[in-house]
Structures are given as structure tokens and as C-alpha cells.
Amino acid sequence: EPEVTQTPSHQVTQMGQEVILRCVPISNHLYFYWYRQILGQKVEFLVSFYNNEISEKSEIFDDQFSVERPDGSNFTLKIRSTKLEDSAMYFCASSTQGDTEAFFGQGTRLTVV
Amino acid sequence: AQSVTQLDSQVPVFEEAPVELRCNYSSSVSVYLFWYVQYPNQGLQLLLKYLSGSTLVKGINGFEAEFNKSQTSFHLRKPSVHISDTAEYFCAVKKAAGNKLTFGGGTRVLVKP
């Protein structure tokens, strides 16, 4: 069964460093998303991506964040100059269309120290 | 904007007993409704969804949910739980014309033998 895969599963980084979280969405999906879940809090929407551009983003998704689809299979989230409060589980998701269900990856746990 | 409230943060239940997880939402526009499950150390998996039509929807693993528009609720039920149902359950909504999910805070179900 096709699935969304995320790498790495865990990432520890020093405050101020840049990290790139990687995702391989399901191959025939056209919409891609990043969500995050800070420990003990709700899963929050960060950004959606369609047709090689951001279609929607939340207020969390500021200039510190960027997304890219560098080739036909990967979808990445870059966090520049990480802060302690960026520590969270980051989920990638994809869907065939914008209004259908999203399929989620297993997440990348990011710890900023 | 949409919001989702899951009234119970934790629900302990004995094996083979029924369980109901409550979800209420608020939205000024039509929404689609989803329940996701997160097993320990795994990603979010779709249990079921309501897009339109019959208000009683059936999902995987014997779960079902009922959409009640007048009460703005989408409660999840299972008549007889198994140990393997121990997980965290998330209710989520999406604008019918949008592509971002808004999640509730989650309900942790602990099934006891």
C-alpha cells in the first residue's frame, strides 16, 4: 500500500542551525502539506503546496520556514535558524485533491537544544 | 475560522466494552469531518470521514461516527474495543472549499484487560 515516508525519524539540532526535513509523498498525489505537533499540544497546520507553489500557510509559517519540491518525488521543509520552540513532531501529508483526505507520514521528531 | 473541541483528553475503557469519543466543531461554512488515529510511535491514520450523504459513517477497525449538524458534533463510537485500540484519536475538520485540516486536541484511549 502506498504511503508517505519521512526522513529522518529523529533529528537533534543546535539552536541557530538550519534543518531540512524530508518527505516523499504518495506518487500520484498533487497536494502536499506540513503539520506540526508540539508536545502536549494540538496538531497544527503549517503549509499546503500545490502546482509548485504555496497554496495556503498559517501564521506560524513565517520567513523562518520554507518548502520546496526539488524533484518529482521529494517535498522538503527547511527551518532556518532554529529556536528551542521549534522542537516538535513534524508531519508531512499528501492528498490527490485539496478536498480529499490527507495521508500522513510517521513524522520527524525535531529536538532543538 | 474553524475550531474543534474534543471534550475528553483521556478515556480509560475495559476490553470488549463500548467507547464513545466526543467531538464538537465550530464553523461558519460547510465542512468535511475526519477522525484520525495515532498508534504509539506511528503517524496519523485515517479512521473515517464524512463528506456528504448519510450521517452515519463507518470506518476501519469497527469504528463509526455520526454527523449531527444541529449539534455540530461528530462523535466516534466502537461497540466493543480491543487492547489494540489503545491509541490517540484526533477529530479534524476541513472547509469544504479548502485543503487545510484543523485538529482537535486528541483523546487518548487506554484499553484495559
Side-chain angles (χ1 to χ4, degrees):
Chain A
E1 185 176 327
E3 59 181 16
V4 176
T5 57
Q6 291 185 242
T7 54
S9 55
H10 292 91
Q11 173 94 47
V12 180
T13 190
Q14 297 228 327
M15 193 167 51
Q17 296 297 303
E18 174 183 286
V19 294
I20 297 176
L21 309 184
R22 302 181 191 279
C23 169
V24 179
I26 295 173
S27 62
N28 63 336
H29 286 188
L30 301 176
Y31 289 79
F32 314 113
Y33 314 87
W34 284 101
Y35 289 80
R36 79 173 184 189
Q37 185 180 28
I38 295 172
L39 190 64
Q41 298 186 24
K42 291 185 178 186
V43 177
E44 304 171 287
F45 169 79
L46 292 177
V47 66
S48 60
F49 191 86
Y50 169 71
N51 200 25
N52 282 320
E53 60 183 25
I54 291 172
S55 51
E56 190 172 356
K57 62 182 181 178
S58 70
E59 58 273 13
I60 303 167
F61 194 88
D62 58 21
D63 292 343
Q64 186 194 4
F65 295 89
S66 62
V67 288
E68 192 178 28
R69 189 154 162 81
D71 52 42
S73 59
N74 290 284
F75 179 52
T76 61
L77 174 68
K78 182 189 288 187
I79 309 174
R80 285 179 282 275
S81 189
T82 49
K83 300 176 280 196
L84 294 176
E85 53 265 39
D86 294 327
S87 295
M89 180 73 89
Y90 288 81
F91 292 106
C92 175
S94 67
S95 63
T96 52
Q97 298 179 43
D99 59 353
T100 54
E101 68 266 28
F103 291 80
F104 283 78
Q106 294 196 347
T108 293
R109 183 169 297 284
L110 176 66
T111 302
V112 182
V113 296
Chain B
Q2 296 74 47
S3 68
V4 180
T5 302
Q6 292 182 243
L7 295 166
D8 306 298
S9 58
Q10 290 191 70
V11 173
V13 57
F14 286 106
E15 195 174 16
E16 298 183 8
V19 71
E20 179 179 82
L21 308 184
R22 295 178 291 170
C23 172
N24 288 90
Y25 70 92
S26 130
S27 177
S28 56
V29 299
S30 294
V31 293
Y32 297 150
L33 296 143
F34 304 84
W35 275 98
Y36 283 86
V37 60
Q38 185 178 29
Y39 297 107
N41 301 314
Q42 294 191 28
L44 297 165
Q45 180 182 0
L46 181 70
L47 267 181
L48 49 77
K49 63 186 178 188
Y50 173 79
L51 304 183
S52 65
S54 172
T55 57
L56 181 65
V57 292
K58 294 189 183 297
I60 62 171
N61 301 340
F63 283 93
E64 63 180 33
E66 184 148 23
F67 170 58
N68 187 318
K69 189 173 182 179
S70 63
Q71 296 188 5
T72 60
S73 68
F74 190 54
H75 300 333
L76 180 72
R77 300 186 197 96
K78 184 169 181 177
S80 175
V81 296
H82 303 292
I83 297 287
S84 59
D85 292 321
T86 293
E88 188 151 20
Y89 294 79
F90 294 93
C91 182
V93 302
K94 176 189 282 194
K95 281 195 298 190
N99 53 37
K100 124 188 157 182
L101 286 165
T102 299
F103 284 86
T107 299
R108 193 172 298 276
V109 172
L110 175 61
V111 181
K112 303 176 181 180

